[in-house]
Amino acid sequence: MITHDPQLLALRTLTAPILDTEEPLTHLNEISLSAQGAAVCGHVLIDLLEENDLAIGDYEVVIAPEGDGALAAAMIHAAGGRGLDLDAALLRPAQATASDTPFNGAPIHGRPAVLLANSSLVDTAVLHEAVKGAGATVVGVVSLLPDPSTRDFASEAGLTYCVPSLAD
């Protein structure tokens, strides 16, 4: 698919070197922790959700595994650049004690949320169950890199799955 979207074109350029690696998700921080990469990633993720009828307001918080904190922060900053408010919460690693809350960040109870599913460290179904257990309502799933297992999970759960087309 040919695109003229400068953000998506920039993302394609940034991700090209990692897409051919055996585990592209493990290299995603190389992109999301750079100034240019973070700006591009945040805008592309929000645009993807909007293109799938999930605008900020339909969700108030983005929830991600702790390994995707940089991408969640990129979405917060991209939203702020548009004059919109977006919060984030990160799922703590499994070794957190049972008495601890499973999330760091903004409160999620009673709030509509989007799952940011890029980390190879946490299965999307596990993230979804933790979010539901904390009282948030999941309205969609967004990924920066295509992931068949996340796509299958979203389909089975009846959730919108958003991922950019990184091919030319």
PDB file of all heavy atoms in Angstrom, residues 15 17 31 37 41 44 46 51 60 65-67 82 91 105-106 115 117 126 128 152 157 160 162:
ATOM      1  N   THR A  15      11.926   1.387  11.305  1.00  0.00           N
ATOM      2  CA  THR A  15      11.751  -0.023  11.646  1.00  0.00           C
ATOM      3  C   THR A  15      12.413  -0.982  10.659  1.00  0.00           C
ATOM      4  O   THR A  15      12.619  -2.153  10.991  1.00  0.00           O
ATOM      5  CB  THR A  15      10.255  -0.396  11.768  1.00  0.00           C
ATOM      6  OG1 THR A  15       9.597  -0.112  10.531  1.00  0.00           O
ATOM      7  CG2 THR A  15       9.609   0.326  12.924  1.00  0.00           C
ATOM      8  N   PRO A  17      15.444  -1.659   9.696  1.00  0.00           N
ATOM      9  CA  PRO A  17      16.575  -2.482  10.142  1.00  0.00           C
ATOM     10  C   PRO A  17      16.199  -3.565  11.158  1.00  0.00           C
ATOM     11  O   PRO A  17      16.877  -4.585  11.232  1.00  0.00           O
ATOM     12  CB  PRO A  17      17.527  -1.470  10.806  1.00  0.00           C
ATOM     13  CG  PRO A  17      17.090  -0.140  10.338  1.00  0.00           C
ATOM     14  CD  PRO A  17      15.647  -0.244  10.002  1.00  0.00           C
ATOM     15  N   ILE A  31      14.187   2.110  18.879  1.00  0.00           N
ATOM     16  CA  ILE A  31      13.432   3.143  18.172  1.00  0.00           C
ATOM     17  C   ILE A  31      12.712   4.049  19.156  1.00  0.00           C
ATOM     18  O   ILE A  31      12.810   5.273  19.095  1.00  0.00           O
ATOM     19  CB  ILE A  31      12.416   2.506  17.209  1.00  0.00           C
ATOM     20  CG1 ILE A  31      13.151   1.740  16.128  1.00  0.00           C
ATOM     21  CG2 ILE A  31      11.489   3.555  16.610  1.00  0.00           C
ATOM     22  CD1 ILE A  31      12.259   0.848  15.299  1.00  0.00           C
ATOM     23  N   GLY A  37      12.262   8.776  17.008  1.00  0.00           N
ATOM     24  CA  GLY A  37      11.449   7.566  17.051  1.00  0.00           C
ATOM     25  C   GLY A  37      10.247   7.698  17.959  1.00  0.00           C
ATOM     26  O   GLY A  37       9.139   7.292  17.616  1.00  0.00           O
ATOM     27  N   CYS A  41       6.504   7.319  16.677  1.00  0.00           N
ATOM     28  CA  CYS A  41       5.738   6.189  17.207  1.00  0.00           C
ATOM     29  C   CYS A  41       4.454   6.639  17.893  1.00  0.00           C
ATOM     30  O   CYS A  41       3.386   6.067  17.673  1.00  0.00           O
ATOM     31  CB  CYS A  41       6.586   5.378  18.185  1.00  0.00           C
ATOM     32  SG  CYS A  41       7.962   4.508  17.422  1.00  0.00           S
ATOM     33  N   VAL A  44       1.897   7.807  15.254  1.00  0.00           N
ATOM     34  CA  VAL A  44       1.399   6.704  14.436  1.00  0.00           C
ATOM     35  C   VAL A  44       0.409   5.852  15.230  1.00  0.00           C
ATOM     36  O   VAL A  44      -0.653   5.477  14.717  1.00  0.00           O
ATOM     37  CB  VAL A  44       2.566   5.848  13.884  1.00  0.00           C
ATOM     38  CG1 VAL A  44       2.061   4.521  13.326  1.00  0.00           C
ATOM     39  CG2 VAL A  44       3.334   6.619  12.816  1.00  0.00           C
ATOM     40  N   ILE A  46      -1.512   6.710  17.825  1.00  0.00           N
ATOM     41  CA  ILE A  46      -2.778   7.438  18.011  1.00  0.00           C
ATOM     42  C   ILE A  46      -3.541   7.531  16.693  1.00  0.00           C
ATOM     43  O   ILE A  46      -4.761   7.346  16.661  1.00  0.00           O
ATOM     44  CB  ILE A  46      -2.516   8.830  18.626  1.00  0.00           C
ATOM     45  CG1 ILE A  46      -2.069   8.662  20.085  1.00  0.00           C
ATOM     46  CG2 ILE A  46      -3.767   9.706  18.551  1.00  0.00           C
ATOM     47  CD1 ILE A  46      -1.614   9.938  20.745  1.00  0.00           C
ATOM     48  N   GLU A  51      -8.036   5.977  13.074  1.00  0.00           N
ATOM     49  CA  GLU A  51      -8.465   5.401  11.800  1.00  0.00           C
ATOM     50  C   GLU A  51      -9.389   4.210  11.997  1.00  0.00           C
ATOM     51  O   GLU A  51     -10.127   3.827  11.094  1.00  0.00           O
ATOM     52  CB  GLU A  51      -7.245   4.978  10.969  1.00  0.00           C
ATOM     53  CG  GLU A  51      -6.451   6.152  10.444  1.00  0.00           C
ATOM     54  CD  GLU A  51      -5.074   5.764   9.917  1.00  0.00           C
ATOM     55  OE1 GLU A  51      -4.783   4.544   9.797  1.00  0.00           O
ATOM     56  OE2 GLU A  51      -4.287   6.687   9.635  1.00  0.00           O
ATOM     57  N   GLU A  60      -9.212   6.502  27.811  1.00  0.00           N
ATOM     58  CA  GLU A  60      -8.586   7.535  28.647  1.00  0.00           C
ATOM     59  C   GLU A  60      -7.177   7.164  29.075  1.00  0.00           C
ATOM     60  O   GLU A  60      -6.423   8.011  29.537  1.00  0.00           O
ATOM     61  CB  GLU A  60      -9.427   7.743  29.914  1.00  0.00           C
ATOM     62  CG  GLU A  60     -10.835   8.209  29.661  1.00  0.00           C
ATOM     63  CD  GLU A  60     -11.684   8.227  30.933  1.00  0.00           C
ATOM     64  OE1 GLU A  60     -11.169   7.891  32.024  1.00  0.00           O
ATOM     65  OE2 GLU A  60     -12.872   8.569  30.815  1.00  0.00           O
ATOM     66  N   PRO A  65       2.688  -3.472  29.036  1.00  0.00           N
ATOM     67  CA  PRO A  65       3.675  -4.125  29.892  1.00  0.00           C
ATOM     68  C   PRO A  65       4.789  -3.129  30.203  1.00  0.00           C
ATOM     69  O   PRO A  65       5.049  -2.205  29.419  1.00  0.00           O
ATOM     70  CB  PRO A  65       4.205  -5.273  29.038  1.00  0.00           C
ATOM     71  CG  PRO A  65       3.211  -5.450  27.946  1.00  0.00           C
ATOM     72  CD  PRO A  65       2.573  -4.122  27.731  1.00  0.00           C
ATOM     73  N   GLU A  66       5.447  -3.325  31.317  1.00  0.00           N
ATOM     74  CA  GLU A  66       6.502  -2.396  31.733  1.00  0.00           C
ATOM     75  C   GLU A  66       7.553  -2.186  30.633  1.00  0.00           C
ATOM     76  O   GLU A  66       8.068  -1.092  30.461  1.00  0.00           O
ATOM     77  CB  GLU A  66       7.155  -2.909  33.008  1.00  0.00           C
ATOM     78  CG  GLU A  66       7.883  -1.854  33.778  1.00  0.00           C
ATOM     79  CD  GLU A  66       8.235  -2.322  35.170  1.00  0.00           C
ATOM     80  OE1 GLU A  66       8.918  -3.357  35.303  1.00  0.00           O
ATOM     81  OE2 GLU A  66       7.821  -1.643  36.123  1.00  0.00           O
ATOM     82  N   GLY A  67       7.829  -3.203  29.832  1.00  0.00           N
ATOM     83  CA  GLY A  67       8.812  -3.089  28.758  1.00  0.00           C
ATOM     84  C   GLY A  67       8.410  -2.139  27.644  1.00  0.00           C
ATOM     85  O   GLY A  67       9.234  -1.763  26.822  1.00  0.00           O
ATOM     86  N   ARG A  82      -1.370  17.406  20.725  1.00  0.00           N
ATOM     87  CA  ARG A  82      -2.640  17.648  20.035  1.00  0.00           C
ATOM     88  C   ARG A  82      -3.648  18.330  20.956  1.00  0.00           C
ATOM     89  O   ARG A  82      -4.804  18.493  20.593  1.00  0.00           O
ATOM     90  CB  ARG A  82      -3.224  16.316  19.554  1.00  0.00           C
ATOM     91  CG  ARG A  82      -2.352  15.591  18.565  1.00  0.00           C
ATOM     92  CD  ARG A  82      -2.887  14.206  18.246  1.00  0.00           C
ATOM     93  NE  ARG A  82      -1.954  13.516  17.363  1.00  0.00           N
ATOM     94  CZ  ARG A  82      -2.282  12.493  16.598  1.00  0.00           C
ATOM     95  NH1 ARG A  82      -3.518  12.027  16.582  1.00  0.00           N
ATOM     96  NH2 ARG A  82      -1.383  11.930  15.831  1.00  0.00           N
ATOM     97  N   LEU A  91       1.991  -2.562  33.436  1.00  0.00           N
ATOM     98  CA  LEU A  91       1.885  -3.805  34.196  1.00  0.00           C
ATOM     99  C   LEU A  91       3.242  -4.149  34.769  1.00  0.00           C
ATOM    100  O   LEU A  91       4.234  -4.234  34.043  1.00  0.00           O
ATOM    101  CB  LEU A  91       1.384  -4.931  33.285  1.00  0.00           C
ATOM    102  CG  LEU A  91       1.238  -6.300  33.927  1.00  0.00           C
ATOM    103  CD1 LEU A  91       0.135  -6.276  34.989  1.00  0.00           C
ATOM    104  CD2 LEU A  91       0.943  -7.351  32.875  1.00  0.00           C
ATOM    105  N   GLY A 105       1.570   3.779  37.634  1.00  0.00           N
ATOM    106  CA  GLY A 105       1.088   4.860  36.779  1.00  0.00           C
ATOM    107  C   GLY A 105      -0.290   5.335  37.170  1.00  0.00           C
ATOM    108  O   GLY A 105      -0.683   5.289  38.334  1.00  0.00           O
ATOM    109  N   ALA A 106      -1.021   5.796  36.171  1.00  0.00           N
ATOM    110  CA  ALA A 106      -2.345   6.378  36.394  1.00  0.00           C
ATOM    111  C   ALA A 106      -3.327   5.319  36.890  1.00  0.00           C
ATOM    112  O   ALA A 106      -3.192   4.136  36.562  1.00  0.00           O
ATOM    113  CB  ALA A 106      -2.857   6.987  35.089  1.00  0.00           C
ATOM    114  N   LEU A 115      -4.992  -1.389  25.074  1.00  0.00           N
ATOM    115  CA  LEU A 115      -3.798  -2.169  25.386  1.00  0.00           C
ATOM    116  C   LEU A 115      -2.743  -1.883  24.335  1.00  0.00           C
ATOM    117  O   LEU A 115      -3.012  -1.925  23.136  1.00  0.00           O
ATOM    118  CB  LEU A 115      -4.107  -3.667  25.378  1.00  0.00           C
ATOM    119  CG  LEU A 115      -5.150  -4.173  26.355  1.00  0.00           C
ATOM    120  CD1 LEU A 115      -5.266  -5.693  26.245  1.00  0.00           C
ATOM    121  CD2 LEU A 115      -4.844  -3.758  27.771  1.00  0.00           C
ATOM    122  N   ALA A 117       0.340  -3.473  22.958  1.00  0.00           N
ATOM    123  CA  ALA A 117       0.882  -4.831  22.999  1.00  0.00           C
ATOM    124  C   ALA A 117       2.059  -4.967  22.054  1.00  0.00           C
ATOM    125  O   ALA A 117       1.883  -5.309  20.894  1.00  0.00           O
ATOM    126  CB  ALA A 117      -0.213  -5.832  22.643  1.00  0.00           C
ATOM    127  N   VAL A 126      -2.657 -12.260  29.039  1.00  0.00           N
ATOM    128  CA  VAL A 126      -2.323 -12.042  30.453  1.00  0.00           C
ATOM    129  C   VAL A 126      -2.515 -10.572  30.806  1.00  0.00           C
ATOM    130  O   VAL A 126      -3.088 -10.242  31.849  1.00  0.00           O
ATOM    131  CB  VAL A 126      -0.872 -12.499  30.740  1.00  0.00           C
ATOM    132  CG1 VAL A 126      -0.427 -12.085  32.134  1.00  0.00           C
ATOM    133  CG2 VAL A 126      -0.755 -14.009  30.545  1.00  0.00           C
ATOM    134  N   HIS A 128      -4.512  -8.461  29.311  1.00  0.00           N
ATOM    135  CA  HIS A 128      -5.954  -8.201  29.269  1.00  0.00           C
ATOM    136  C   HIS A 128      -6.626  -8.649  30.564  1.00  0.00           C
ATOM    137  O   HIS A 128      -7.445  -7.919  31.134  1.00  0.00           O
ATOM    138  CB  HIS A 128      -6.559  -8.913  28.059  1.00  0.00           C
ATOM    139  CG  HIS A 128      -8.005  -8.642  27.853  1.00  0.00           C
ATOM    140  ND1 HIS A 128      -8.949  -9.618  27.946  1.00  0.00           N
ATOM    141  CD2 HIS A 128      -8.667  -7.492  27.567  1.00  0.00           C
ATOM    142  CE1 HIS A 128     -10.146  -9.093  27.719  1.00  0.00           C
ATOM    143  NE2 HIS A 128      -9.994  -7.803  27.486  1.00  0.00           N
ATOM    144  N   ASP A 152      -4.454 -12.545  16.833  1.00  0.00           N
ATOM    145  CA  ASP A 152      -5.380 -13.647  17.117  1.00  0.00           C
ATOM    146  C   ASP A 152      -6.107 -13.422  18.437  1.00  0.00           C
ATOM    147  O   ASP A 152      -7.312 -13.656  18.532  1.00  0.00           O
ATOM    148  CB  ASP A 152      -4.628 -14.977  17.145  1.00  0.00           C
ATOM    149  CG  ASP A 152      -4.091 -15.374  15.777  1.00  0.00           C
ATOM    150  OD1 ASP A 152      -4.512 -14.778  14.761  1.00  0.00           O
ATOM    151  OD2 ASP A 152      -3.222 -16.274  15.740  1.00  0.00           O
ATOM    152  N   ALA A 157     -11.090 -12.061  21.306  1.00  0.00           N
ATOM    153  CA  ALA A 157     -11.702 -11.249  22.367  1.00  0.00           C
ATOM    154  C   ALA A 157     -12.710 -10.245  21.818  1.00  0.00           C
ATOM    155  O   ALA A 157     -13.355  -9.529  22.580  1.00  0.00           O
ATOM    156  CB  ALA A 157     -10.611 -10.523  23.160  1.00  0.00           C
ATOM    157  N   THR A 160     -10.860  -4.479  18.596  1.00  0.00           N
ATOM    158  CA  THR A 160     -10.201  -3.898  17.435  1.00  0.00           C
ATOM    159  C   THR A 160      -8.698  -4.025  17.619  1.00  0.00           C
ATOM    160  O   THR A 160      -8.172  -3.710  18.686  1.00  0.00           O
ATOM    161  CB  THR A 160     -10.588  -2.414  17.295  1.00  0.00           C
ATOM    162  OG1 THR A 160     -11.995  -2.326  17.136  1.00  0.00           O
ATOM    163  CG2 THR A 160      -9.895  -1.771  16.117  1.00  0.00           C
ATOM    164  N   CYS A 162      -5.136  -2.757  15.983  1.00  0.00           N
ATOM    165  CA  CYS A 162      -4.566  -1.741  15.095  1.00  0.00           C
ATOM    166  C   CYS A 162      -3.056  -1.952  14.997  1.00  0.00           C
ATOM    167  O   CYS A 162      -2.375  -2.021  16.019  1.00  0.00           O
ATOM    168  CB  CYS A 162      -4.833  -0.350  15.648  1.00  0.00           C
ATOM    169  SG  CYS A 162      -6.561  -0.019  16.018  1.00  0.00           S
TER     170      CYS A 162
END
